[in-house]
Structures are given as C-alpha cells and as structure tokens.
C-alpha cells in the first residue's frame, strides 16, 4: 500500500476513535481529569514566582501543559499498545488496510486530539479562573505551538516504543507512570527548578518535561519572569535541541520495536497468553 493510502487509512482509524471519545462520558471524564487537577492546584497558588511579580499560577498552568503532553503521549499510547497486543487487536491489524503504520497513525491522532482539548481547557480555564495569561503575540503563539508539537511527537514515539516492549498493560503503572510522575516533580512544574538541589536540576535537564514547561512559560509569561529560570533566560535554542533529540530517539526506536513486536505476534502466542491469564495459580 502506498503512503497516501496508508495516511488515509490511519486518519480514518483516528477519526473513528475520536468519535468514540466524543460519545463517551467516561472517556471525557478520564481525559479531562488531569487538566482539571492542574487548574484546581493553580487556583490555590496565590504567591508570585520568586524574584518577580508574576503569579505562580502561570507556572503551574505551563507545567500542567508539559505534563499533559508527556503523560498522555507516553502512558496512554504505551497502555493502549500493551492492552491491544494482549487482546489480539494488534494481530488482527496486520491484515487490515494500512497495517501497523495506519494503526499507529490512528493512535497518534487520538493522542493529539486529547492533548489539544486538554491544552485548550488549561489555557482558557487558566485565563478565566486563575489569572493565567494567554500568549500575547504571534511570536509567543508560534513558540507555544512548536514546543507542544515537538513534545507531542517525542512523547508519542516514546510511548509507542515503551508499549512495544511492555510485557502486559498491568506493568504500565510501575514501568511508566511512577518514573514519569517523579520527573514531573523535579521538572519545575509546581515550583522553579532553582529551589531544588543541584543534582535534581541536572537530572531534569536531561529529560523533555523540564524543557517543555520552560518553553510554555516563555509563551504565556512576560519576559521579566525569565529571571527565575536556572539560566536566567528562556533558552529557546536549548529547548529546541533537547526536544528534537528526544523526537529523533523516539522515532528511531519506535518503528524497530513495533515491527519486531508485530513479527513475533501469532495466534499461538495469543492463545498461550489467554490460557495463562485464565488458569488459576496453584495453591
């Protein structure tokens, strides 16, 4: 199948799944709970960013956007892939139009939709209820778009790579979510990284959440707030470099791991997994 037909098949799959989300109250509640938590937390944050007069609620909204992209892109895609490999969906996808590439594209469309809605809720809700600002210029809107766009591509690719190697969806919590929440805690989401020990600052510098949060802050906060950053500036070039590097890493790993996983899938393997899951453990 040529690339254009694969693209159409992937977008069609993504559209079907998005329509399912739009019809499901439980899906809406699940996907909007994280933005709502950050809005509530920002509402109770009434002190300024240290060294500035900018409300710290804006820092929480920016960190919430970075966390939303990372947690949705990585954990959601990893859990979906692990679950649908276990129930046989991925095995069936090998015989459908577009195969695995169209399947993965459809899932990325779903993640992009969820992130887009969550980002709109955070930005508009922050502006209406907690005094956060929207980007005030074309340059700031452009910064917001490239930061979140690079973050989404990198997070989705890494989520697909992790989902391809997870033994089962039950291990996603320990393998993916716990380390990610730890990174969120040290990435300047709730407070500036400058208040943390040097080792934690250097650790956060290696991962994209910190740079996404800093990039979003540069898009919704005044330039004077940059004095609270570890380097005393927004570091757009460094932000682009780190996010692009994680995109490259994810895009190199994900296709190889996914196609290796797809080659190993078979009806006998699926039956064996189902048998193991239904046989009660010996007492």
């Amino acid at each position: 199948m040529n690339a254009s037909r694969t693209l159409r098949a992937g977008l069609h799959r993504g559209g079907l799944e998005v329509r399912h989300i739009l019809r499901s109250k439980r899906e809406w509640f699940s996907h909007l709970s994280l933005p709502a938590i950050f809005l509530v937390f920002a509402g109770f944050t009434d002190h300024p960013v240290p060294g500035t007069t900018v409300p710290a609620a804006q820092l929480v909204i920016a960190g919430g956007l970075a966390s939303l992209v990372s947690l949705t892109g990585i954990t959601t895609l990893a859990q979906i892939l692990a679950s649908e490999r276990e129930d046989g969906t991925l095995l069936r996808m090998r015989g459908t139009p577009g195969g695995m590439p169209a399947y993965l594209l459809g899932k990325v469309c779903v993640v992009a939709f969820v992130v887009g809605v969550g980002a709109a809720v955070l930005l508009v809700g922050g502006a209406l209820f907690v005094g956060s600002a929207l980007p005030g210029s074309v340059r700031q809107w452009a910064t917001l778009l490239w930061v979140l766009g690079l973050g989404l591509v990198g997070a989705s690719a890494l989520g697909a790579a992790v989902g391809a190697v997870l033994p089962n969806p039950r291990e996603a919590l320990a393998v993916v979510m716990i380390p990610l929440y730890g990174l969120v805690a040290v990435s300047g989401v709730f407070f500036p990284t400058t208040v943390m020990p040097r080792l934690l600052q250097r650790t956060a510098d290696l991962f994209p959440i910190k740079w996404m949060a800093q990039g979003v802050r540069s898009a919704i906060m005044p330039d004077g707030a940059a004095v609270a950053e570890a380097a005393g500036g927004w570091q757009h070039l460094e932000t682009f470099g780190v996010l692009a590097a994680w995109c490259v890493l994810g895009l190199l790993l994900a296709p190889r791991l996914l196609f290796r996983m797809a080659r190993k899938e078979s009806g006998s393997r699926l039956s064996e997994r189902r048998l193991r899951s239904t046989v009660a453990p010996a007492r």
Side-chain angles (χ1 to χ4, degrees), residues 65 123 132-145 216 218-221:
L65 282 166
L123 286 170
S132 180
L134 295 172
S137 67
V138 173
R139 176 182 60 82
Q140 287 184 310
W141 277 110
T143 298
L144 180 68
L145 290 176
V216 175
S218 75
I220 67 173
M221 297 170 72

Side-chain angles (χ1 to χ4, degrees), residues 7 10 18 78 82 84 112-114 118 143 153 218 264 270 277 283:
L7 177 63
V18 167
E84 296 192 348
F113 172 78
V114 171
T143 298
V153 171
S218 75
K264 289 183 177 181
L270 177 61
S277 65
R283 295 183 180 272

